[in-house]
Each structure stands twice: as C-alpha cells, then as structure tokens.
Amino acid sequence: MEGFWAAFFPVLRIWFTCVVVLIMLPAMFGISLGITETYMKLLIKSLEWATHRIQRASRAEEILKHSASNGLIQRDNSSLEQEIEELRRNRPKSAERGDFTLSDVLYFTKTGIESIVEDDVTQRFTSEELVSWNLLTRTNNNFQYISLRLTVLWGVGLVVRYGILLPLRITLTAIGLSWLVIGTTMVGFLPNFRVKGWLSELVHVMCYRICARGLSATIHYHNKKNRPKRGGICVANHTSPIDVVILANDSCYAMVGQVHGGLMGVLQRAMERSCPHIWFERAEMRDRHLVTQRLRDHVNDKTKLPILIFPEGTCINNTSVMMFKKGSFEIGGTIYPVAIKYDPQFGDAFWNSSKYSMVSYLLRMMTSWAIVCNVWYLPPMTQQEGEDAVQFANRVKSTIAQQGGLVDLAWDGGLKRAKVKDSLKEQQQKKYSHMVVGDDSSD
Amino acid sequence: MGSTSSTLLKIPNVEELVQETGFSPAHIIRLYDRFKVLDKEGRGHLCPQDFGAIKELAMNPIRDRIISAFFSPGKETVDFNTFVRILAHFRPVDKDRPKDPNSPEPINSRSNKLKFAFQLYDQDKDGKISRDELLKVLRDMLGMQVTEEQLESIADRTIQEADLDRDDAISFEEFRKSLEKVNIDHKMSIRFLR
C-alpha cells in the first residue's frame, strides 16, 4: 500500500503542476497557449472523417439529408383564413357573407393530425437531432454500425473523454469554484474603494474563465462594442445553466435568482460579498411588485453592474426562442440583447431538466468533446412610445432569434410543465367564426 | 451502437405494417420515435391523455373528435400499429400505383380519406350525418362565438344544399359529391421532409 502512495504522489504533483501552469494561469489572464486550438483542429478532422465514412457506407442517403429546419413534415405557413378560402374555392358562392361548407372541417383535421405527428412545442424541450453522428453514444439515434475503424475511433474517443478529459475538467472546475469563493470573500473584506470594484470584477472573470476551461468551452464573441454597460439589463436566450459561465467570461454581471442552499448557497453568499447581486427568497419571488422594485433600484444605481436575465424562464433546446416574459421589460432602463448559439456537433448543451438532474447534466457536459458557442452582442434597445411591455419583449425576442438563426416562437416556455389555456382554442374558434357568419358575430 | 435495423426489430409486424400502410421503413421509424415521445410513461400504448398533452393539438376546436378517431369503440388504448394505420390515411396518394382490382384499396385512397373525414362528423357511425351531429360539429368549431339560431340556420342551409335524397341527413355519397371539387390529396395529406 505504501509503495502505491509513494509512486502516486509524484504523479499527482506533476499532474497538478501541469494543470496549473498549462491551463489555469493562461486562462486567468486570458492568454491562450494554443493547446485548445490544436485539440479542436484534431477533433474537427476526426469528426469529418467519421462523417465521410458514414456517408460513404450509407445507402439510405435521405436520412442524412441536410434540412435547414428541424422539421419532420411539411407545414404550410398560411393562416386559417387562407386555407379555408382555398378549400371553398371551387364551390359556387351562394351568399356574400361567409358561409359554412362541409369541407371546412378538413382544415382542422389536417392541422390536428400534423400536430400529432410533430408539434412545434414538444420538440423544443428535447435535444436537437444531429444530421451526422459525432461519435458520442448519447446522440446516437439512428446511426448504424459502419466499420471497425469507426468503432475503434469511437472507443478511443470514449477513453480520452472519460479517462483524460473528465478528471482534468473536474479538477479545473473545483479550482475555479474554490477560487471564486475564496477570492470574493477576500475582496469582500476590503473597504469600499473603487479598487474593490475593479478587483471584484477581476476575480469574477478569472474564476469564470477557469470554469470555462473546465468545460472545454470555446466561445466566439461578436460585436464586443455592444457589450452591456452599467445600469442596463442584459437579456439572452436560455439553453442551460452554463449560459451564465459563457456570458460572464467576457464581462461582469449582477446575477438574479433564488436563494439556494448547499453549494449554490455558498457561492451566492460569497459572490454577494464582493459586489451586489440580487438574490430573492422563495417567498419574495411571488410578489411581482417587490421583484420589479428591487430590480429597478439596482438598474437606477449607475455604479452597479448590468443585470443578467433570461426572460424565457426555462431552458429551451437552442433551436428556437420562446415567449419572453414581460416582467423584465417593465423595469425600464436599456435592454442589451444577447444571442447565444451552441454548436451541437461538439456537445449538446441543452439541459433537459425532466430527464437529467443538475449533477448528471454537468457530468454529461464534462464528458462531451467540447462546448463551442457563438455569442452575439446586439445593439441596445429601449421601449418606444406607444409600445407596451409585451410588444417590446417580442421585438427583442425577434432580434435575438434572427441573429442566432433560431426559430421565433410565440409559445410560452412554461408549457414544458403547464397545460395550454382555453383562450388559445377560443382564438381559433373566433377566427373561424368570422369566416362563417361574417363580422356580425357576437363578440 | 444503435442501428436502424434494431429499431425496426422492436416494432411488431413491421413488414405487414409497411405493406398495409405504404409508409417507408424510415418513416415508420420516425413515427415510432414520435410514438415513444408521446408515450411518456413507456407503457407501449397511448391513452387519450397522452394526445391531450400535445400543446398544439390543445387549441384545435375539434381536438376530441380527432383523438377519438384513433380509439376503436370500447377501447381505451391505442398501440403503435393502430397509430400508424390511422396516420396512414394522411399519406399522399400514390399516383403511379397499378390499379389491381384484386388488392384491397389502399388506406390513403381518396375515398378512404373522405371516409375518415366523414366519420369525424358521423360519431354514432350510422352512415349518415344527422342534423344533430352537424349541429354538434358546428358548435365545436365555432364555440361560443355564434348564437344557437345562427347555428341552426347554418345547419339547415348545409343540409339543404347537400342532401339530395331529401332524408334530412347527409349520407356518405352525398358527402362525397359535395366535396368532389376539393383537392383532397392536397388538403388531407401530410408530406414527410426526411
């Protein structure tokens, strides 16, 4: 037993020194040694080769056809009115006002069956399907056994990911988080000089950079000139808890959220010591006025950091943007929209909270190839005259969807867990009744 | 590593299904994946609540009728094969299928599509759409947006136009005649993109 430890200790020391020197220090100061770049190049080459092999071997090429949409079936984008008009087109018109025809029911039948085969909402709460396999078993849905070489590559990948990358990443994340707690607590002891703010930001950014390395995250920031400024509100689409790490790598934000216990609670309290964040007790979250007031106070204080909010309220699978809750847009202040798009080829970042717990999610993240994403800072937007909070929210949502190449949906992300309201059905009925009885229907 | 052939093996009587419905094996796999997503508890069959959980379907005024089209009378569950057979009604018509008088009519023929639509109206399956049944459908589609009188006058007008043998109900033949100019293949077909 002793011999084992005697041999193990130097290995551990070398390992640690390597990690610190090669990864942690450069990360802290934002310098790149090029190790990650080389890794990514190698990875891309391997994946391209794998894709090539799969395509060569596959006779059923339709399965690998690139479809720009994630759609399964062809959907008409025309409205209820257009479709029913078309259905009635060949009938002789007996009355000038609308009319009912037996064929009207076909429209509702078809849309009903279409939604049974595929609906826009349910598919957004599961991971995006890949066009070609990326050598991770977890994304393997319909890919067949191709060749021995591919299997060997997959096996090598497995060993590399679980044997080398995983321990490395766990070490880094542990270092990152402990440094965050220690650093912010130390800064918290300083008196309130301007230096404190600068130091606090430095500590935060360094720790997030280490954590990002802990996930092998490669982030491309675009339009850095639009970076959120103090007294503003940063608004982004939500895919996973990692979004926070991704955004905080480049700039410092004041976080908003519920007070948690356990490890999260330790982190929250530590961060609170060095610079003001907004943590709510569970009971306080229900009082919307209280929430809005606290956020407003923070925004109006121009010395405080910009707030980071995810208006969707829940994690969506990064193929679409769902309804933005209007609460964030009622606070006033300038909104800085940010679009985040992950590249699914290297690792699926979406957190399916109904399927995976936080811990198993993080483990999956750390055993993926890498997290590659693009962050676009969009020009600031403010609420215009005559625009209410909902319209403003939708305007911001469209801008983010367009930049990120995501589908802009009006559905509420809360539908992940809740039922659809009857008012949606009534809306359909109303639209249809206008076609049948004309405009003198009772309203 | 998973493979398409292993998924196909999980589905019982898959060749029969392919023959009967005309879906390609790839499409059957897609539908199987969808079936599994809808069958959240993994029971191997769907019940009306599973359909009810589809968000987009919830806002369809005739949702309940469409859902009950999947369940045979008296049955409370639908298995995968029945699921596919019902959906097969919405497969686009095969234009170049050889007209073999001995083989049974394909599920997605124009006539069978019309029968499917007819049965959405004719809930008691007596082969006729009575005035009452028509009123019920109208009420479903229009909700509270119209008055009882308006509904009745619409129903009367519709029956007057379509009812050729003056028995105050619409038979399947009359239904078919009323829709003879509608492009059923376009309006009642769902096309797979992949």
Side-chain angles (χ1 to χ4, degrees), chain B residues 30-170:
Chain B
R30 293 283 170 213
L31 291 174
Y32 188 67
D33 289 336
R34 178 65 172 171
F35 185 83
K36 278 198 296 188
V37 166
L38 294 176
D39 179 16
K40 290 195 178 71
E41 298 176 29
R43 284 172 301 200
H45 55 81
L46 298 176
C47 60
Q49 286 91 307
D50 292 322
F51 285 96
I54 303 173
K55 317 292 181 186
E56 268 187 32
L57 189 60
M59 64 178 204
N60 193 312
I62 54 167
R63 171 192 66 170
D64 294 322
R65 281 169 194 270
I66 297 176
I67 295 177
S68 57
F70 282 84
F71 296 86
S72 325
K75 285 196 78 177
E76 303 248 311
T77 60
V78 56
D79 61 8
F80 178 65
N81 289 36
T82 319
F83 182 70
V84 176
R85 275 196 209 102
I86 304 285
L87 290 178
H89 284 95
F90 289 82
R91 210 166 61 78
V93 173
D94 305 304
K95 294 195 174 58
D96 33 314
R97 201 184 169 98
K99 286 208 165 38
D100 180 3
N102 290 332
S103 67
E105 202 175 348
I107 299 183
N108 64 335
S109 70
R110 191 172 194 280
S111 180
N112 279 328
K113 286 183 200 276
L114 282 172
K115 276 207 191 108
F116 187 84
F118 186 77
Q119 272 163 1
L120 288 174
Y121 281 103
D122 180 24
Q123 292 279 290
D124 63 6
K125 309 220 189 302
D126 64 353
K128 291 183 183 304
I129 306 175
S130 67
R131 192 169 178 281
D132 265 336
E133 286 173 330
L134 188 57
L135 275 173
K136 282 211 192 84
V137 177
L138 285 170
R139 181 53 85 191
D140 277 344
M141 291 204 279
L142 293 165
M144 289 293 122
Q145 306 296 324
V146 296
T147 64
E148 191 68 39
E149 292 90 45
Q150 283 172 312
L151 274 189
E152 306 235 345
S153 77
I154 295 171
D156 287 330
R157 213 169 37 218
T158 313
I159 294 190
Q160 213 178 27
E161 277 178 17
D163 183 18
L164 302 166
D165 61 5
R166 297 279 157 245
D167 64 349
D168 210 30
I170 304 176

Side-chain angles (χ1 to χ4, degrees), chain A residues 320-345:
Chain A
S320 67
V321 182
M322 289 208 178
M323 186 178 98
F324 274 9
K325 303 215 179 346
K326 64 178 171 146
S328 337
F329 299 89
E330 287 174 333
I331 304 170
T334 330
I335 302 274
Y336 294 89
V338 177
I340 308 174
K341 180 85 176 96
Y342 291 89
D343 188 342
Q345 192 68 15

Side-chain angles (χ1 to χ4, degrees), chain A residues 133-152:
Chain A
W133 193 36
N134 65 349
L135 297 177
L136 296 175
T137 320
R138 65 192 64 149
T139 51
N140 193 351
N141 282 328
N142 287 321
F143 300 112
Q144 318 169 341
Y145 175 80
I146 304 292
S147 70
L148 184 63
R149 268 188 254 180
L150 203 61
T151 320
V152 167

Side-chain angles (χ1 to χ4, degrees), chain A residues 141-171:
Chain A
N141 282 328
N142 287 321
F143 300 112
Q144 318 169 341
Y145 175 80
I146 304 292
S147 70
L148 184 63
R149 268 188 254 180
L150 203 61
T151 320
V152 167
L153 186 65
W154 171 76
V156 168
L158 197 71
V159 167
V160 166
R161 282 185 293 124
Y162 280 86
I164 303 176
L165 293 177
L166 181 63
L168 182 67
R169 287 172 183 167
I170 295 184
T171 322

